[in-house]
Amino acid sequence: MAVFVTRRLIVSFFIVLASTALMYVLVALSGNPLHDLLEYSGPGRAERIADRTRALNLDVPIPGRYGLWLQDVGKCIVPGGNDCTLGLDRAGRPVLPQLQTAIGSTLRLVVAATVLALLIGVVAGIVTALRQYSTFDYGVTFVAFLCFSLPVFWVSTLLKQYIAIDLNNWLADPTMSYAALLAVALIAGVLWAVVVGGERRTRWLVFGISALATFTTLFLLLTTDWFTKPSLGVAGILVIGLGMAFLWAALFAGLRPRTRRVLWTSLATAAIGTVVIVAAQPLMDDMSWLTFFLMALVLVGIGVAAGLVGGGHVKRLAAQIGAVTGVTMTVLMAVDQMLSSYPFVYRATGGRPIPTTGSETPNLHGDFWQTNTDLALHLVLPTLAIMLISFATYTRYTRASMLDVLNQDYVRTARAKGLNERTVIVRHSFRNALIPLATLVAFDFAGVLSGAVVTETVFGWSGMGRLFQTGLTNVDPNPVMAFFLVTAIATVLFNLVADIAYAYLDPRIRLS
Amino acid sequence: MSTDDSQRSESVTEEQPLPMESERIEAQMDRLVAADTDVLGAEPAAADLPVAARSSARTVMIRFFRHKAAMGGLVVLALIVILAFSSVGFGPFPGWWHQDYRVPQNIYNGGRPTLQLWPFSLGKHPFGQDNIGRDYFALVMTGAQQSIIIAFLVGFIGSAVGTVIGAVAGYFRGWTEAVLMRLTDVIITIPLVAIAAVVATIANGIGGVWLLGVFIGLVTWTGLARIVRGEFLSLREKEFVDAARSVGVPSGRIIFRHILPNTVGVIIVAATLAMSSAILLESALSYLDFGVQAPHTSLGQLINVYRSAMGPRPWLFWWPGLFIVAIALAINFIGDGLRDAFDPRQDRQKA
């Protein structure tokens, strides 16, 4: 293992070295860096050209310039040095501070899109595999193909032009006519009926229940003015937490008497977690990332402890599901806090809470939750735009991989020895179907980054896409190389992690 | 060929029976299969059950033509290609649409599209006019032509380079493979948009839309190279390759005449899908200002030029976008159909 990682790291180092060299030469050759000055005819033309030549070292041949750039990068690797700049751009400003401001917003976008696409894509893929050749399957297949075929920038512009404006208008005055309510409820009913499937009776039942539930929920939310002052509240956290706890236990442990204890410990975690969250309310006002992670640790710890204490003969499983419930409670806590700070952000953005330009509201001066709410609201539309393609990829691969697994002999064996359907699907099929996804996530990362470059342009973010684009337009290699260094290292590391994860998940593979 | 064998006849078609006889056997088989399924009470005698003496190319073709989505895609793509190339003409050939996309005209009806679906009529400017009065139908058609040409060039060159590199690496092994595959690894670490933008800038410096396609094709071969290498690694150990080598067939001939035909399915599918992503890549590059440049036009470039017109003249934004989506979707469906047709494993899952 250690040998494998070391060898791969060494190989990766040379690969990154080679690709930076290739990229540097290509960027340097991509145009004339003095292009704009040669057309300029004002005073001081010669000095400007001389300045630019000095800034970009144009009197050194390209391989030499690459050497100089490598030297600048080397200064960042050498410990103790404080002249780490990643080179200067053509105006003589160091690149590193620019990269540092750019990397945060891009990373947020890429991570949010990947996580969301992975969650939704895997769930949709599993359900379509289980309901192969159903209406839902065909529907999702068509949507996936459509997502594959959508140009990112086109979708982004559409979202910006139509969704953002309409949504903001609606949020300013959140009312719905009865007809609209009814329409939403009916659509929700049809969707659920199609997803659940089954006999005609079941379908009608599902349709009726989900339509009614949607209608009542929306009606209540609208009449209580929830959309202008949203929050979950203690009751909301408790009810949703208990519901999720029940769901996790039912899904991963089953509700039969043998594993009934898992359900109890999981529900207990949700209940105790709610109490802890209520008790910790004074902490919420000056939260920082450190206290947030401590809080998450406490909640997960409660879950694990509850599982170990009350789990009986299924201790391990109960502890695992307790941990999952703990994470759920953390998420609920964060959602509750962020929803509560929504009115502040709403006022700060002048009543247009879904922004279409920039990655944060300037001069917000909010606390931890308010800042994060603002960031999250800025993420909504760009994330939606770039997750479409990843979503399509994940759905198709999960579906194919799940179908592949369901046809394996060991699944037939599991059925033949009388295991119930839940165990067969969750424990025997689902886990194995996820293995190929490890590689896919690493590979898809580069794709999401490409999408981010385009999306950032549409939404006017000054992220890494901007760094790359202006750098390339100006034939200014150092900013482009800063962008590229980050993506190349990330890609190489992701691939390494994927290989290790693959070997860990599939014992048939040995790292050597 | 015994009747038992012919149930799994796809692999037994190397020696073709005489045409007459093959028809006889085929008829017989159909009857037998029908009888078989009657007894079992299983599926009706589906015609895509393997039947004796059907060449694999024909099997693939039949499977492909049965794929409804793929056929839909094929029809749509054909219609778009015919429309784009016949309307404004191509090269020396004049088209039936007699408005030049470069000439501004008086703005008619606020520049709105005059296309009517029912009763069908094109009107004066079916897709409307842009802000200086140029006919948008002619513009979109010219742009679609360029985008299609670039996509085909990228797909073709990318697949050709990828196939050759993958084949050579997989066949020769050793240091050839090491060098070629490390080269592939190097290019794979670069995000596609980034390297494509850089080579497109270089191509634009030299000039020409065709060159742009060629250059982008030269950086999009990595995925296929890996796939083809994988195929070659397993195929080169097969007996027929040993046989060819032992009678002294030169390596080039073994690669291209003996092994490559066995990987043609994978290559065709990948090439098709490469074309759909090339359409999207070209439009994204043009949108970022790195793709097709001003005197030329393409679908992505049109969206880029008119993105600020989104509010007052939304059609300037809709038409090129819809064409991009339609072309990419059609090619994706064709690719999916080809994959199903070439990959018999899909059949087992359906059964």
Side-chain angles (χ1 to χ4, degrees), chain B residues 109-140:
Chain B
N109 191 18
R112 272 182 207 85
T114 55
L115 180 73
Q116 257 189 342
L117 283 184
W118 192 260
F120 185 81
S121 80
L122 284 177
K124 206 161 151 42
H125 299 290
F127 287 5
Q129 287 167 292
D130 74 357
N131 36 355
I132 54 168
R134 292 185 295 181
D135 181 52
Y136 206 53
F137 180 72
L139 261 174
V140 171

Side-chain angles (χ1 to χ4, degrees), chain A residues 15 18-19 26 30 133 145 148-151 153-154 157-158 161-162 407 450 457-458 468-469 472 484 487 492, chain B residues 185-186 189-191 193-194 198 201-202 280 283-284 287-288 290 303 310 317-318 321 324 328-329 332 336 349-350:
Chain A
I15 285 179
S19 55
L26 284 176
S30 68
Y133 301 125
F145 271 97
F148 274 131
S149 317
L150 286 175
F153 60 95
W154 196 65
T157 318
L158 284 184
Q161 193 70 28
Y162 294 107
N407 282 340
S450 295
T457 316
V458 178
F468 169 78
Q469 207 193 349
L472 184 57
F484 176 61
T487 59
V492 166
Chain B
D185 286 345
V186 165
T189 50
I190 309 177
V193 164
V198 176
T201 316
I202 298 176
L280 297 180
S283 58
Y287 185 80
L288 291 175
F290 297 129
I303 297 182
M310 181 80 194
F317 180 82
W318 279 104
I324 295 175
L329 196 58
N332 273 334
D336 191 50
Q349 283 178 357
K350 279 180 189 172

Side-chain angles (χ1 to χ4, degrees), chain A residues 329-366:
Chain A
M329 296 311 291
T330 316
V331 172
L332 283 176
M333 176 188 79
V335 168
D336 179 50
Q337 286 299 322
M338 287 169 75
L339 284 179
S340 319
S341 32
Y342 169 80
F344 171 82
V345 177
Y346 181 84
R347 280 193 305 278
T349 52
R352 311 301 285 178
I354 311 283
T356 53
T357 46
S359 57
E360 55 194 318
T361 309
N363 308 320
L364 186 72
H365 302 306

Side-chain angles (χ1 to χ4, degrees), chain A residues 91-235:
Chain A
R93 285 169 309 201
V95 172
L96 188 70
Q98 300 178 40
L99 181 68
Q100 279 166 339
T101 48
I103 205 168
S105 55
T106 304
L107 217 57
R108 273 203 298 278
L109 183 59
V110 170
V111 170
T114 307
V115 170
L116 275 178
L118 195 60
L119 282 179
I120 304 174
V122 167
V123 171
I126 300 277
V127 176
T128 46
L130 296 179
R131 309 246 177 284
Q132 200 187 5
Y133 301 125
S134 64
T135 323
F136 181 67
D137 185 21
Y138 284 122
V140 170
T141 305
F142 182 76
V143 170
F145 271 97
L146 196 64
C147 291
F148 274 131
S149 317
L150 286 175
V152 177
F153 60 95
W154 196 65
V155 180
S156 310
T157 318
L158 284 184
L159 286 176
K160 198 172 152 177
Q161 193 70 28
Y162 294 107
I163 305 290
I165 290 179
D166 287 347
L167 197 60
N168 276 325
N169 285 343
W170 186 79
L171 283 173
D173 179 27
T175 48
M176 275 168 104
S177 67
Y178 279 104
L181 261 179
L182 205 63
V184 172
L186 289 182
I187 291 171
V190 170
L191 273 180
W192 279 110
V194 169
V195 172
V196 175
E199 302 276 309
R200 178 171 301 181
R201 227 177 78 94
T202 336
R203 282 178 191 231
W204 278 108
L205 202 66
V206 171
F207 171 77
I209 293 174
S210 52
L212 194 68
T214 314
F215 188 88
T216 333
T217 319
L218 265 180
F219 185 76
L220 283 177
L221 291 180
L222 284 170
T223 44
T224 54
D225 231 10
W226 191 85
F227 287 101
T228 47
K229 287 190 213 53
S231 76
L232 291 180
V234 179

Side-chain angles (χ1 to χ4, degrees), chain A residues 377-396:
Chain A
L377 285 171
H378 276 88
L379 275 176
V380 173
L381 294 177
T383 310
L384 200 62
I386 51 174
M387 66 175 262
L388 290 180
I389 295 175
S390 310
F391 160 76
T393 322
Y394 291 139
T395 314
R396 297 306 292 165

Side-chain angles (χ1 to χ4, degrees), chain B residues 9-11 13 16 47-67 337-338 340-344 347:
Chain B
S9 63
E10 273 178 10
S11 54
T13 47
Q16 291 254 343
D48 57 0
L49 275 173
V51 174
R54 205 180 254 172
S55 78
S56 67
R58 214 177 131 211
T59 324
V60 168
M61 234 166 66
I62 289 173
R63 281 212 212 103
F64 179 68
F65 285 123
R66 291 244 170 78
H67 201 285
L338 285 172
D340 285 358
F342 277 113
D343 187 1
D347 266 9

